[in-house]
Amino acid sequence: MIKICMIVHKNYYHDVRVRRYVESLVKTGASVDVICLALYDSDLVFETHDQIRVYPISVRHTDKSRISYILEYLFSFILYFIRLSILHIQNRYQVIHVHNMPDFLIFSAIVPKIMGVPLILDIHDLMPEVFTSKFGERSNQLILSLIKLQEKLSCWLADEVITVNSICETNLINRGISPEKITVVHNYPNSAIFDRAVYLNERGGSEKNFTLIYPGTLAPRYGLETVVHALPQLKTQIPEIRLLIFCQNTPYKDDLQRLADQLGVLSYVEVKPLIRHEDIPHQLIRADIGIYPAINDIHMSLATPTKVLEFSAMGIPIVSSRLRMVEEIFGDSSIMFFESQNVSQFVQCVIELYQNPTLRKKLAANAYQLFVQKFSWDHEFRVYLEMLHHLSPGTTQICSLDTEKGSG
């Protein structure tokens, strides 16, 4: 049995991309160990599910200052290094797949690397762009230079570098990473989960609200303040308006609720705990509009809009801020765009869709057709398996299996 270890500085059960890899690999016959963060103290005991073993480490993910980020990453690195070194000696992995952030987490695999194990660095997000997005264009230039240096060194140590789209690939190449080393594996939804046909009987029903839905990361760069600021105007035109958010408990969640209270629209905002990925389609199919109000900055403009792809897969109309990557994927025929942080334009988009059910159906149908025609995790997983075979001939066994069936 092929043995692969994945390392991610998030909780495995909340990282959809990592879970998609792991579950697809297991269906091809591979055995996968995951070293990740624990969400709670009760998560610290490792879990086994068929061919998946999850090893949590005791570090709490922070969302505070630059210094707290650095200290968290450094302390985590030590724990990942110890755990991985011991596990590799016990299990002898054929491949180790490290997910950023941070990039330098790949150095926790230095012992297996010395022993001849190929390493993959999977760059979900470009760290220099994320740092600038979080801390502003006037970010500490010394820290930014160090982040770029660790990115280059991390890519140098890796045998293969994965990233999520062509824009990220271009940025990496422009910073000196060899294009021969980079493979793009797009972050597309799993159509086995986001299968619109399965949920069609749940659409509509007795729901009386006109629901704007946002399930996902809640941080300032995702622009939910724009939506809350729009609610005082929207409620006068759409009395049944409701903003439904599924998210983790973060300080920004409290900020949004305080803002809604100050604007007198708290009763129109419903914030619920983050739900399992498998349960998201049930919520999306019942909503009237999927919203993606991300701020148009150096990071969000190039990030793959996974939520927008999920909205399109479930066939609901989408209102999104005008971002380079969203435009590149969909264009104006499938999405109602507004300029980032422009409250008035957002209001106009929502009201126009509310008043025009035909337009809602047209945009949703166009986006759904694009999703069906262009976005396949099955294809992306085959690209990944080909890369594995190139890295380690011992993975021929899994590469030769029926991946159409295996990746789901």
Side-chain angles (χ1 to χ4, degrees):
M1 181 180 291
I2 304 302
K3 294 182 179 179
I4 296 174
C5 185
M6 295 214 177
I7 305 174
V8 56
H9 191 64
K10 288 178 70 176
N11 183 267
Y12 165 68
Y13 299 102
H14 285 197
D15 194 304
V16 175
R17 183 171 170 89
V18 177
R19 283 186 59 192
R20 197 179 300 133
Y21 277 121
V22 172
E23 292 165 3
S24 298
L25 280 167
V26 164
K27 289 178 181 178
T28 67
S31 170
V32 186
D33 289 355
V34 181
I35 309 175
C36 65
L37 289 185
L39 281 181
Y40 312 105
D41 290 338
S42 58
D43 294 333
L44 291 177
V45 178
F46 85 86
E47 299 182 42
T48 302
H49 304 279
D50 298 324
Q51 295 146 244
I52 305 170
R53 294 184 297 183
V54 180
Y55 297 87
I57 65 168
S58 181
V59 175
R60 293 293 175 265
H61 190 46
T62 184
D63 195 24
K64 297 179 182 178
S65 68
R66 284 169 278 197
I67 298 300
S68 63
Y69 266 110
I70 294 170
L71 292 176
E72 175 199 333
Y73 284 156
L74 290 175
F75 179 59
S76 302
F77 172 82
I78 296 170
L79 296 181
Y80 284 116
F81 170 78
I82 294 170
R83 178 59 66 88
L84 175 59
S85 299
I86 293 171
L87 285 174
H88 178 63
I89 291 170
Q90 294 172 343
N91 298 303
R92 300 293 177 171
Y93 300 116
Q94 276 92 342
V95 176
I96 293 174
H97 184 156
V98 181
H99 300 261
N100 91 328
M101 299 187 323
D103 303 319
F104 66 80
L105 196 55
I106 195 169
F107 282 89
S108 66
I110 193 68
V111 170
K113 174 73 173 179
I114 292 171
M115 297 173 71
V117 179
L119 307 183
I120 299 169
L121 176 60
D122 197 325
I123 299 180
H124 299 198
D125 297 295
L126 300 178
M127 282 190 68
E129 284 79 354
V130 171
F131 180 81
T132 303
S133 174
K134 282 179 176 290
F135 302 110
E137 294 292 338
R138 297 183 180 181
S139 303
N140 185 300
Q141 291 304 304
L142 174 60
I143 296 178
L144 187 58
S145 297
L146 291 173
I147 290 174
K148 290 180 179 179
L149 176 62
Q150 66 84 40
E151 178 186 74
K152 182 174 288 190
L153 292 174
S154 300
C155 290
W156 167 80
L157 184 67
D159 295 277
E160 290 281 350
V161 174
I162 292 175
T163 194
V164 293
N165 60 52
S166 59
I167 299 177
C168 291
E169 179 186 29
T170 299
N171 286 16
L172 288 170
I173 292 170
N174 290 341
R175 289 202 283 265
I177 310 305
S178 170
E180 288 76 22
K181 211 175 201 180
I182 303 173
T183 299
V184 174
V185 178
H186 294 93
N187 196 17
Y188 293 156
N190 188 340
S191 57
I193 295 175
F194 290 88
D195 184 351
R196 178 172 174 265
V198 173
Y199 303 97
L200 281 178
N201 63 334
E202 298 182 31
R203 182 177 287 282
S206 59
E207 183 64 67
K208 295 180 180 179
N209 294 311
F210 189 80
T211 301
L212 314 180
I213 191 168
Y214 177 85
T217 304
L218 202 61
R221 63 186 180 277
Y222 287 93
L224 271 297
E225 286 181 51
T226 299
V227 183
V228 174
H229 277 293
L231 287 176
Q233 298 177 59
L234 287 172
K235 71 175 184 176
T236 63
Q237 301 290 321
I238 313 173
E240 66 273 28
I241 192 80
R242 176 179 68 150
L243 172 59
L244 178 59
I245 300 172
F246 292 92
C247 66
Q248 289 179 287
N249 190 19
T250 67
Y252 185 61
K253 183 199 80 169
D254 299 331
D255 293 342
L256 283 179
Q257 289 179 312
R258 278 193 294 270
L259 176 62
D261 192 28
Q262 292 167 7
L263 295 172
V265 292
L266 187 58
S267 61
Y268 296 86
V269 179
E270 188 173 356
V271 181
K272 295 187 174 183
L274 195 64
I275 55 177
R276 294 187 319 148
H277 189 59
E278 295 82 354
D279 294 330
I280 291 175
H282 293 281
Q283 300 298 329
L284 295 186
I285 201 72
R286 297 170 185 163
D288 295 282
I289 297 176
I291 58 170
Y292 189 70
I295 293 174
N296 188 13
D297 65 18
I298 189 172
H299 167 55
M300 298 307 295
S301 64
L302 57 81
T304 298
T306 308
K307 291 303 161 193
V308 178
L309 291 168
E310 291 172 0
F311 297 154
S312 67
M314 297 310 295
I316 64 172
I318 303 160
V319 173
S320 170
S321 49
R322 193 174 289 280
L323 303 168
R324 179 182 174 187
M325 183 52 65
V326 181
E327 283 191 290
E328 186 173 293
I329 293 174
F330 288 99
D332 290 291
S333 64
S334 304
I335 290 184
M336 184 75 79
F337 283 112
F338 68 99
E339 294 303 322
S340 171
Q341 299 180 281
N342 189 314
V343 175
S344 297
Q345 285 189 15
F346 179 82
V347 169
Q348 290 171 7
C349 288
V350 174
I351 290 176
E352 185 173 356
L353 287 176
Y354 172 74
Q355 295 175 341
N356 192 338
T358 302
L359 178 60
R360 293 205 304 271
K361 290 179 181 178
K362 178 183 177 182
L363 291 175
N366 290 346
Y368 177 71
Q369 281 302 116
L370 271 175
F371 177 82
V372 170
Q373 293 168 7
K374 294 176 60 175
F375 309 123
S376 166
W377 172 247
D378 289 339
H379 174 269
E380 300 306 309
F381 185 60
R382 285 196 295 273
V383 171
Y384 174 68
L385 289 184
E386 289 169 7
M387 186 196 67
L388 282 183
H389 177 49
H390 170 72
L391 272 181
S392 177
T395 60
T396 304
Q397 176 187 343
I398 64 172
C399 293
S400 66
L401 294 179
D402 182 359
T403 56
E404 282 284 352
K405 175 182 176 182
S407 60

